[in-house]
Amino acid sequence: MKIESQIEKISSFQHLELLANQVVEGFISGMHKSPFHGFSAEFAEHKVYNIGESTKHIDWKLFAKTDRLYTKCFEEETNLRCHIIIDNSSSMHYPKLKDNQPFYESKIGFSILASAVLMNLLKKQRDAVGLSVFSDRYEYYAPEKGSDRHHRMILNKLEGLLETTKESKQTDTITYLHQIAEKIHRRSMIILFTDMFQSENEEALFNALQHLKHNKHKVVLFHVIDKETELKFDFDNAPRKFIDLETGDEVVIFADNVKQEYEKQVSDYFKKLALTCAQNKIKYIPVGVDESFEKILTAYLVEKQKFG
């Protein structure tokens, strides 16, 4: 689903939850065309009753209407625990948005809305969600819970990230991925949004990603990029000044002079990322800020089915 078809219904960004709900509702309405046919029937505050379970929470009124047995779900009865991790380093605040650009066309904005969309889906399924945010420090941590109050608290944090001006900060990914891994004790699906622009030792970085898999967690890495400039290096051949958002280093070059070599190195790096993730049984999904959120939701549902 293209978000542009829904954005006109919303006067402004102000309410992240409303925008996320528009995306999810559009996705659910189209699910009959997808491999998840019938899945949307489970989106409720109930779960199907299985023979052998206690009958004390069966919703008999719903049984009278549907002739099917459902049990009421309560906060502690979550099917899944999901922990979302957002890289909030300076490089994620690219590209710099113009006044008329929607917030989700930057990498951080895309990641925040994608997180809110996933949270909306988790809430509909009565699953528990937690959040970690890191840059050069561990900025925020909330454990996995399923209550409405907890959901609202995390949404408020996400909205706050969009309103905060980001000064130049390098990423200390390795340190904080290890710290986050130590905090998640119960088996969970861990979803990471990052642009993978780290200057650290690659082996140490993948050791940190592997640490996230301890306790039989499932890890899904959404590699967020601006395809036109970061992947294709699509600039005109006027001399341009490129600034490292994390270190402040500057270089003036003609894009055409380095385009071919740049594309080769980026392609090689992406292939290495994909291969290393596959070897470590980490689901690696590159996503562009211009892509629809259907890709995020479909990937999540596929991985949830595998998670079991």
Side-chain angles (χ1 to χ4, degrees):
M1 185 209 70
K2 278 288 183 183
I3 196 170
E4 286 77 8
S5 63
Q6 300 292 332
I7 196 72
E8 292 178 356
K9 299 178 183 178
I10 303 161
S11 58
S12 66
F13 142 66
Q14 301 303 318
H15 207 275
L16 185 62
E17 185 173 24
L18 176 60
L19 184 50
N21 190 61
Q22 292 282 351
V23 175
V24 173
E25 291 301 323
F27 176 74
I28 293 172
S29 68
M31 286 184 97
H32 65 279
K33 301 175 184 176
S34 77
F36 303 100
H37 177 62
F39 185 83
S40 57
E42 297 175 12
F43 283 73
E45 297 182 11
H46 300 80
K47 63 181 180 181
V48 176
Y49 172 76
N50 294 311
I51 295 173
E53 292 181 341
S54 169
T55 59
K56 125 172 130 169
H57 295 307
I58 288 178
D59 188 332
W60 295 109
K61 289 183 179 179
L62 191 58
F63 172 72
K65 293 178 182 178
T66 65
D67 202 31
R68 295 185 67 184
L69 290 174
Y70 293 91
T71 56
K72 295 178 182 178
C73 288
F74 296 91
E75 181 180 335
E76 67 274 11
E77 294 177 327
T78 55
N79 300 314
L80 175 81
R81 304 175 72 83
C82 180
H83 197 89
I84 297 171
I85 305 171
I86 296 178
D87 174 359
N88 191 35
S89 58
S90 296
S91 64
M92 287 287 286
H93 290 253
Y94 175 87
K96 186 176 181 180
L97 300 177
K98 299 173 183 175
D99 290 341
N100 61 344
Q101 268 188 286
F103 72 92
Y104 52 81
E105 290 185 3
S106 73
K107 290 184 287 186
I108 190 66
F110 180 92
S111 301
I112 286 169
L113 182 51
S115 298
V117 165
L118 287 172
M119 285 174 57
N120 187 284
L121 195 62
L122 287 157
K123 184 179 180 181
K124 288 181 183 296
Q125 297 179 274
R126 281 302 192 245
D127 291 330
V129 63
L131 176 69
S132 286
V133 181
F134 73 90
S135 55
D136 62 341
R137 61 188 178 88
Y138 198 157
E139 296 183 15
Y140 183 79
Y141 167 75
E144 306 79 45
K145 294 182 182 178
S147 69
D148 287 344
R149 182 179 179 183
H150 184 77
H151 186 89
R152 167 45 53 190
M153 181 185 73
I154 293 179
L155 277 173
N156 284 342
K157 177 60 183 179
L158 293 178
E159 289 174 347
L161 288 179
L162 284 172
E163 295 165 3
T164 304
T165 303
K166 177 56 62 177
E167 65 271 26
S168 293
K169 286 186 176 181
Q170 296 189 44
T171 317
D172 192 357
T173 307
I174 294 170
T175 297
Y176 299 115
L177 287 186
H178 280 301
Q179 288 189 17
I180 292 167
E182 290 296 333
K183 282 182 172 288
I184 306 172
H185 301 295
R186 295 177 64 180
R187 186 169 180 257
S188 305
M189 181 183 291
I190 298 173
I191 295 176
L192 171 61
F193 290 97
T194 178
D195 57 9
M196 293 299 288
F197 284 154
Q198 276 74 233
S199 58
E200 299 102 333
N201 177 282
E202 287 184 9
E203 183 178 353
L205 174 60
F206 281 105
N207 284 340
L209 288 170
Q210 184 65 23
H211 190 185
L212 289 174
K213 286 181 60 64
H214 83 304
N215 288 344
K216 298 182 179 178
H217 301 315
K218 172 177 275 292
V219 178
V220 181
L221 193 164
F222 286 111
H223 184 186
V224 185
I225 53 172
D226 179 56
K227 288 184 177 179
E228 291 303 310
T229 58
E230 294 181 326
L231 185 59
K232 301 177 183 176
F233 209 61
D234 190 11
F235 296 97
D236 59 40
N237 200 34
R240 288 181 173 271
K241 179 166 69 174
F242 293 86
I243 304 171
D244 187 319
L245 292 175
E246 299 194 2
T247 65
D249 293 343
E250 300 179 4
V251 61
V252 177
I253 56 173
F254 288 87
D256 279 1
N257 293 349
V258 299
K259 181 179 174 69
Q260 187 173 356
E261 180 60 25
Y262 175 90
E263 288 180 343
K264 181 182 182 302
Q265 289 198 26
V266 168
S267 176
D268 289 346
Y269 178 55
F270 278 32
K271 288 176 183 175
K272 183 175 182 180
L273 283 177
L275 178 61
T276 309
C277 283
Q279 290 170 341
N280 288 280
K281 295 183 178 179
I282 294 168
K283 184 64 178 180
Y284 171 76
I285 305 171
V287 288
V289 294
D290 60 336
E291 293 190 62
S292 78
F293 292 90
E294 182 176 343
K295 182 175 184 179
I296 302 282
L297 290 166
T298 302
Y300 161 74
L301 290 178
V302 168
E303 295 308 309
K304 180 178 178 179
Q305 286 190 339
K306 293 178 183 177
F307 189 48

